[in-house]
DNA sequence: CCTACCGATCGGTAGG
DNA sequence: CCTACCGATCGGTAGG
């Protein structure tokens, strides 16, 4: 009975079928490209509300402890209604992670595109770290924490799907880390360094408070200093 | 009905009451300090099995998704029997975390005691990191991962109790980090550095494989290089 | 520590 | 998307 399935291709679902049936006005003849009906917009909003409520509750209580009834209530719906939009609680978790990663990757790409091609590797790393903090700690960012801490609740196929997204996201860091290693600014092997750096940044969701003293820029500067030290690793003595 | 309560003080329980009642032999008069009866030893072993099974299952499935029946089965018991040893599933989680932290703190203290007082701060940091990896990734180490990833399942009082243990554990790192910062080897502010470093190390439970290429010593060397670089941060030029 | 059980809650579905 | 419901499972308990 679920309308919006996780992967329409695997189910043969015809998109829009249910929505077309909800076109009620008899005296109006649609001309040109059909506009979205009121009910279609509503349904899109409802789906959004479910996803956002799920992200928030999955993060706050964990996947297993957050009930689909909680999520329904957060979206202003009654008990079983989320299953009209998602075939299972697990599929909803997958969508939350997928959307989180898609947004993180898009944000990262946009940030990197803003860095001049001839900028030093350190500047690229600063950009990557700053964007990572933004995605992790910025407003309305429950999606990535859910992805980080509910991995075990995915099944094998879902893990493979998310792995592709995280793999691409992580790969964007490697040229920069290798360049910094070649410079001598990054002292650890780049592959291991990436794992440690991601851990250091990801852990911040456990302790960072937006009302605390630290800004995301300040945090970025501290992380940069910790991992690659000063801009000049060993400045020439001014003697 | 629970025999071993989380905090006897808050319940007025008289320790040992149930155990004394289990002294069955009428023809024997106890002399001097009473020896542990067979059933007491058994009960201790059973309790151990519950705790270890709980740690493993809490880690593998998460606190909410691991059922007390799973845990009972892992300890070779039937359905409701864990509640003879623990007053609630939550109290069991607390004991797991408590034991994990107590062992981590003891291990850390022993490791630090083995470092000469005049050893360089870098050596103390190496010792702390190496021990942290051991506690986190060594054999039979499910307790600390549970503590790291099930914090939200504790109630306020339990959090306060565990916080005291983690606070003491973390405090042991600060003199060393401050010394390295004063030396110029650690470039970030020590308080923030500690948070980043713990994150980097703690995250390793997500990706480390004991059958992988990395040894705990190798991991320690990489982490040390990443955070405080070479032993000599800026070696004098050999010109 | 087992047996048998309780009330509550859960994910999910049928039928409208 | 709601209503009413199902079977399963859960934490926990009584009574022995």
């Amino acid at each position: 009975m679920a309308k919006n399935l996780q992967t329409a291709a695997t189910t043969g679902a015809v998109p829009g079928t249910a929505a077309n049936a909800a076109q009620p006005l008899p005296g109006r003849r649609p001309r040109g490209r059909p506009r979205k009906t009121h009910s279609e917009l509503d349904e899109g909003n409802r789906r959004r509300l479910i996803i956002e409520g799920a992200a928030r509750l999955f993060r706050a209580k964990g996947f297993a402890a957050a009930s689909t009834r909680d999520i329904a209530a957060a979206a202003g719906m009654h008990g079983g209604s989320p299953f009209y939009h998602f075939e299972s609680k697990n599929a909803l978790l997958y969508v939350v992670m997928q959307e989180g990663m898609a947004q993180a990757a898009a944000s990262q790409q946009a940030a990197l595109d803003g860095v001049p091609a001839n900028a030093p590797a350190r500047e690229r790393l600063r950009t990557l770290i700053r964007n990572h903090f933004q995605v992790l700690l910025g407003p309305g960012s429950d999606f990535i924490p859910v992805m980080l801490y509910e991995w075990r609740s995915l099944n094998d196929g879902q893990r493979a799907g998310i792995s592709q997204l995280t793999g691409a996201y992580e790969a964007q860091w490697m040229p920069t880390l290798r360049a910094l290693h070649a410079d001598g600014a990054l002292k650890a092997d780049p592959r291991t360094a990436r794992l440690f750096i991601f851990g250091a940044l990801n852990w911040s969701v456990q302790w960072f408070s937006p009302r605390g003293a630290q800004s995301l820029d300040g945090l970025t500067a501290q992380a940069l200093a910790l991992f690659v030290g000063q801009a000049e690793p060993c400045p020439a003595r001014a003697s």
Side-chain angles (χ1 to χ4, degrees), chain A:
Chain A
M1 285 291 166
K3 191 193 60 175
N4 295 300
L5 295 169
Q6 185 180 312
T7 48
T10 64
T11 62
V14 181
T17 305
N20 290 343
Q23 189 99 326
L25 302 178
R28 222 174 91 220
R29 275 199 297 150
R31 196 145 40 116
R33 188 177 45 170
R35 287 253 298 281
K36 287 212 168 184
T37 65
H38 181 64
S39 95
E40 270 176 321
L41 287 172
D42 262 12
E43 280 167 11
N45 286 339
R46 297 289 207 155
R47 189 182 143 95
R48 278 268 97 224
L49 286 174
I50 295 173
I51 293 173
E52 280 161 16
R56 184 160 45 81
L57 287 163
F58 287 162
R59 181 184 185 175
K61 307 175 136 200
F63 174 73
S67 75
T68 56
R69 284 167 173 81
D70 288 343
I71 294 166
M77 301 167 130
H78 284 70
S81 299
F83 295 99
Y84 173 70
H85 294 276
F86 299 93
E87 62 175 336
S88 71
K89 188 188 181 186
N90 214 259
L92 178 51
L93 174 65
Y94 185 74
V95 169
V96 167
M97 294 192 182
Q98 202 174 244
E99 287 208 5
M101 271 315 298
Q103 198 239 333
S107 167
Q108 175 167 267
Q109 194 55 59
L112 283 177
D113 288 346
V115 181
N118 60 346
R122 198 171 189 278
E123 274 318 299
R124 294 186 82 81
L125 182 59
R126 184 202 300 281
T127 300
L128 288 167
I129 291 177
R130 172 61 223 236
N131 178 74
H132 199 81
F133 278 134
Q134 179 65 36
V135 161
L136 225 47
L137 309 173
S141 57
D142 292 316
F143 289 68
I144 297 296
V146 168
M147 202 216 53
L148 294 177
Y149 294 102
E150 292 296 342
W151 185 258
R152 66 181 153 207
S153 300
L154 297 177
N155 63 41
D156 288 348
Q158 291 174 325
R159 286 185 195 185
I162 302 292
S163 279
Q164 255 185 322
L165 301 178
T166 57
Y169 182 91
E170 292 160 8
Q172 293 273 44
W173 291 59
M174 291 313 297
T176 298
L177 293 179
R178 278 192 287 266
L180 286 162
H181 185 66
D183 286 356
L186 181 72
K187 312 289 191 192
D189 143 63
R191 253 186 68 258
T192 309
R194 193 194 59 70
L195 291 165
F196 283 146
I197 291 171
F198 269 53
L201 306 187
N202 289 345
W203 194 248
S204 67
V205 309
Q206 306 274 6
W207 53 264
F208 179 76
S209 161
R211 281 186 301 281
Q214 294 263 31
S215 69
L216 298 193
D217 284 332
L219 231 50
T220 301
Q222 290 291 326
L224 212 57
L226 179 62
F227 302 135
V228 293
Q230 261 54 46
E232 290 284 294
C234 287
R237 301 242 199 106
S239 72

